[in-house]
Amino acid sequence: MAWLEVVIGGIFTTVQDHGRIGHGTDGVTGSGAADRTAHDAANRLVGNHPDAATLEMTGGLSVRSVGDTIIAITGARVDVTVNGRTVGDYARVLLRDQDVVSVGIPAEGLRSYLAVRGGIDVPEVLGSRSTDTLSGTGPAPVRAGDRLLVGALSETLPSEEQIPPPAPVGDPVELRVRIGPRDDWFTPASVRALLHEPWTVTPQLDRVGIRFRGPGPLHRSRHDELPSEGMVAGSIQVPPEGHPVLFLADHPVTGGYPVIAVVRTADLPTAAQLRPGRRVRFVRLI
């Protein structure tokens, strides 16, 4: 039996997979990897089944391999070392028993993913191994001293031992949106401002969502109370102060503030890598 022994837990490290689907009526959101593209890439490199869990981290993690295994690290570009020797990210790495792999702090982007061949084997809760930081469902965030068992969700290793990382994003980062469903609750000028002005990522961000600042608050055309409605990842909700919030993987199941637009699902991995200070432009889908 192999496992990863956590030497340093890092800034914020959680176990994530594809999430728990179909429990919205129970008040439990899907959760899962915030950057699904990077999560899946790491799993593919080590030959894992798509359902295998990875470690989602924002840097600073260090783990010791107990037993021989294979890992890969993708997502935000980071320095990776094994026993102090530099190895590549977006590449398959063989770990021998007692090898220590350490992950640096990303210079660009926010979240990186560590896949181990066979997957992280923690108990499933409602069909998923993901940590939901909003409801507290799933395993606790990873801490020093934890022993993370390696599972058996592996398949044939691919022929590629490394893959190219994604191209750097522009400035501002473009996120494609569909306007609505509650754009009629805002003045036409505010809808135009959402689409034509750059918005800056504030330090108020986590797995639940990202708060933005722009040239000014978005103003409502209606001021009555909106009954709570279902929320999805990608919803851009506007609280009373007028600064939009983009919901990510651990978003609430319902919300009572109007949603002015929804980010395209394919762009959510890009959104998950946004750091404070990054500029964003919302582009309307035709």
Side-chain angles (χ1 to χ4, degrees):
M1 181 180 295
W3 67 84
L4 298 180
E5 180 183 336
V6 181
V7 180
I8 301 173
I11 297 173
F12 187 72
T13 305
T14 58
V15 177
Q16 299 295 337
D17 56 18
H18 279 180
R20 45 187 62 86
I21 308 303
H23 297 283
T25 55
D26 301 320
V28 180
T29 194
S31 195
D35 183 344
R36 181 73 64 85
T37 300
H39 163 88
D40 288 350
N43 269 333
R44 285 196 301 272
L45 275 167
V46 299
N48 278 349
H49 188 279
D51 290 338
T54 66
L55 294 180
E56 180 183 281
M57 51 190 162
T58 53
L61 177 73
S62 182
V63 296
R64 176 181 291 106
S65 178
V66 178
D68 295 353
T69 191
I70 298 171
I71 66 163
I73 295 172
T74 60
R77 306 301 304 278
V78 289
D79 292 329
V80 184
T81 64
V82 175
N83 301 329
R85 174 178 56 87
T86 299
V87 298
D89 60 352
Y90 281 87
R92 198 155 64 220
V93 177
L94 173 64
L95 296 183
R96 298 298 186 185
D97 183 39
Q98 299 302 309
D99 279 352
V100 175
V101 57
S102 299
V103 181
I105 307 297
E108 290 289 336
L110 186 63
R111 295 177 170 94
S112 303
Y113 293 82
L114 185 154
V116 58
R117 182 161 171 78
I120 303 295
D121 187 13
V122 297
E124 291 188 354
V125 179
L126 299 177
S128 171
R129 295 178 172 85
S130 288
T131 300
D132 179 348
T133 59
L134 183 63
S135 69
T137 306
V142 170
R143 303 182 187 280
D146 287 351
R147 290 186 173 185
L148 304 171
L149 293 180
V150 175
L153 293 178
S154 59
E155 300 175 334
T156 303
L157 281 170
S159 58
E160 300 88 355
E161 295 188 3
Q162 61 184 38
I163 57 175
V169 295
D171 181 25
V173 178
E174 291 191 352
L175 298 178
R176 293 165 290 180
V177 301
R178 295 191 186 278
I179 294 298
R182 297 299 179 184
D183 54 302
D184 59 339
W185 280 59
F186 297 89
T187 64
S190 288
V191 176
R192 289 194 298 270
L194 179 77
L195 296 172
H196 298 294
E197 300 290 348
W199 295 85
T200 302
V201 178
T202 73
Q204 295 173 282
L205 65 86
D206 54 20
R207 281 183 47 84
V208 175
I210 304 168
R211 187 178 298 274
F212 294 92
R213 290 275 180 175
L218 301 178
H219 298 287
R220 290 191 191 182
S221 59
R222 295 179 56 176
H223 299 282
D224 45 321
E225 186 173 343
L226 178 70
S228 291
E229 298 181 308
M231 292 291 125
V232 298
S235 297
I236 301 176
Q237 191 184 69
V238 184
E241 69 272 15
H243 302 293
V245 176
L246 168 60
F247 283 145
L248 298 178
D250 290 352
H251 64 86
V253 175
T254 61
Y257 300 135
V259 172
I260 192 171
V262 180
V263 172
R264 187 171 182 260
T265 300
D267 288 357
L268 290 179
T270 300
Q273 296 294 355
L274 294 173
R275 298 166 65 99
R278 262 293 195 176
R279 297 192 310 155
V280 169
R281 189 177 297 279
F282 298 109
V283 179
R284 185 172 191 167
L285 284 167
I286 305 301

